[in-house]
Amino acid sequence: MRIIVDEARCEGYGFCAEAAPHLLELDDEGELTVLTEQVGQDERADAEAAVRVCPVAALKLAP
Ligand code: SF4
């Protein structure tokens, strides 16, 4: 499973990075980086939490 960022939507709020700091990182300029190419089963709950907390629905999970 992968985390897909819709960069056009992302406003750099960073809630996702707070929910899953080992999966997502927001830099000082508000650029979001996905840290993990493949989300493992043990990280799935955190990835889903990150998707849920984004206020502009800029994240989704793909197989
Ligand atoms: S919470 Fe949403 S808008 Fe904020 S950095 Fe994450 S993906 Fe972007």
Side-chain angles (χ1 to χ4, degrees), residues 12-21 24 26 32 49-50 52-56 59:
Y13 293 115
F15 298 128
C16 58
E18 282 176 27
L24 297 152
L26 194 68
L32 185 68
R52 240 186 349 260
V53 296
C54 179
V56 293
L59 296 179

Side-chain angles (χ1 to χ4, degrees), residues 17-35:
E18 282 176 27
H22 52 293
L23 299 177
L24 297 152
E25 183 176 73
L26 194 68
D27 71 15
D28 293 341
E29 272 138 41
E31 282 290 317
L32 185 68
T33 303
V34 180
L35 300 174

Side-chain angles (χ1 to χ4, degrees), residues 1 23 36-45 47:
M1 167 183 296
L23 299 177
T36 313
E37 191 68 30
Q38 281 291 330
V39 176
Q41 277 303 323
D42 54 333
E43 299 166 321
R44 186 182 178 131

Side-chain angles (χ1 to χ4, degrees), residues 1-6 34 47 50-51 54 57-63:
M1 167 183 296
R2 292 177 303 129
I3 301 174
I4 312 286
V5 183
D6 183 339
V34 180
V51 169
C54 179
L59 296 179
K60 66 180 179 183
L61 299 177

